[in-house]
Amino acid sequence: MQMKPNNNKGKIAAEKCRKFLADKRMAMAHIANGGSVEELKRKGIKVAFPI
Amino acid sequence: MHSPYKIHTDPNSGYTFITDNNIKYFITFFDRSNELEGIENVQIFEFSFFPENHNHGTHDPRVSQTIMEAINQFFQKESNVLLFICDSIDNKSLARKRLFNKWFISESIPQIEKIDNDIVSGECTYYTSLLLNNNLIEKEKLIKSFSELSIFYNSLKE
C-alpha cells in the first residue's frame, strides 16, 4: 500500500515519520556514546523495556 | 541449525547482544503510545536495532534470528503493538524494508500480522510497518487507522 500525502493529514503523517526517525538517530548516537536512557527521557525520547 | 544469541537487558540502552565476531548490537524500543492516535488497551512501541560503531561485520544469520527472537518475546504480551519505520538517512530505506520482510518471512512468528504502508513525501518515501497480534481485540480498528494514516495524526484531534 502506498499513500501519497497530498493533504494536510498525509503531510502530518510524513512529518511524524521524520520526527520519529530524527529521535531514533539521536537516541542511537546517544546510546552508542554511552549516554543514559534517563537523559533521553529528559529530551522527550522514552526508551521502553517491553520484553 | 543456528540459535539466536543471548539477549541481555541493559538499563542504559534497552537490550543488547554480542555476536561470535564480538560485535555488540543494540535493540531499542521507544514508547510511542502517547504520540500516536489513541486506541485503548494497547501500547505501541517503535523498534530499532543497530551495531555498535555501525560495524555490521560479515553476514551472520544469527543476528536476524536474534532480532526476530526479541520481536517474538515482545509479542508474548498480546496487547503490544510494534511500529517499524525504515531509516532513510543513507538512501537505503528500501533495502531495509526488503531485508526486514525477508527476515519476517523466514523467521515467521506465529499469530503476528504485518501491515506495510509506504508514505510518499516529495523525494522521500517512508517505509512503515505495523506488527500486531492476530488475537488483538482492537486489531481491525488499529489496521484501519494505520492504513488511513490516521494513526499518525492525533495532533489534529479537537
Side-chain angles (χ1 to χ4, degrees):
Chain A
M1 180 183 307
Q2 193 166 78
M3 300 295 291
K4 288 193 177 182
N6 54 1
N7 54 36
N8 281 341
K9 291 178 177 181
K11 283 178 185 167
I12 286 170
E15 188 55 43
K16 194 142 264 188
C17 288
R18 260 191 294 278
K19 189 250 181 203
F20 283 5
L21 286 176
D23 282 358
K24 189 158 70 175
R25 288 169 195 153
M26 184 200 291
M28 283 166 59
H30 181 86
I31 287 168
N33 287 319
S36 73
V37 296
E38 284 304 315
E39 288 165 334
L40 283 175
K41 194 175 175 182
R42 284 195 284 275
K43 293 176 182 175
I45 302 171
K46 286 168 68 181
V47 173
F49 294 83
I51 63 175
Chain B
M1 184 68 182
H2 301 289
S3 57
Y5 292 110
K6 183 167 173 51
I7 299 169
H8 302 274
T9 302
D10 178 352
N12 278 325
S13 63
Y15 305 93
T16 61
F17 64 90
I18 295 174
T19 70
D20 287 337
N21 294 324
N22 215 26
I23 296 170
K24 183 178 183 180
Y25 272 81
F26 297 96
I27 301 174
T28 308
F29 294 88
F30 303 99
D31 187 347
R32 299 298 193 187
S33 304
N34 296 327
E35 298 179 68
L36 296 167
E37 176 70 18
I39 293 182
E40 291 178 7
N41 305 322
V42 298
Q43 274 195 290
I44 304 175
F45 299 90
E46 192 196 347
F47 172 72
S48 177
F49 57 90
F50 55 98
E52 196 171 41
N53 303 324
H54 299 281
N55 171 24
H56 291 270
T58 53
H59 175 68
D60 180 351
R62 294 180 71 191
V63 169
S64 59
Q65 287 179 335
T66 308
I67 289 162
M68 295 311 289
E69 171 60 22
I71 293 176
N72 195 12
Q73 289 181 26
F74 171 84
F75 281 111
Q76 297 302 308
K77 186 175 178 185
E78 207 168 84
S79 60
N80 280 346
V81 174
L82 197 65
L83 175 69
F84 185 67
I85 305 173
C86 297
D87 202 342
S88 55
I89 194 165
D90 49 6
N91 295 320
K92 291 183 180 170
S93 53
L94 182 57
R96 289 191 177 92
K97 174 189 172 171
R98 287 175 177 154
L99 185 64
F100 190 61
N101 281 346
K102 189 178 155 192
W103 290 1
F104 187 76
I105 292 165
S106 62
E107 309 284 337
S108 68
I109 303 173
Q111 304 294 321
I112 301 305
E113 188 164 339
K114 176 171 166 289
I115 299 104
D116 296 331
N117 199 347
D118 302 344
I119 302 167
V120 181
S121 176
E123 299 284 301
C124 192
T125 301
Y126 297 98
Y127 299 103
T128 68
S129 299
L130 195 73
L131 283 77
L132 72 180
N133 203 303
N134 265 332
N135 298 323
L136 191 69
I137 295 168
E138 297 85 353
K139 179 184 153 189
E140 294 307 323
K141 194 174 167 187
L142 209 44
I143 289 175
K144 185 172 186 288
S145 176
F146 183 64
S147 300
E148 293 175 352
L149 296 180
S150 56
I151 194 170
F152 289 105
Y153 45 76
N154 65 351
S155 53
L156 287 185
K157 282 166 73 179
E158 293 179 5

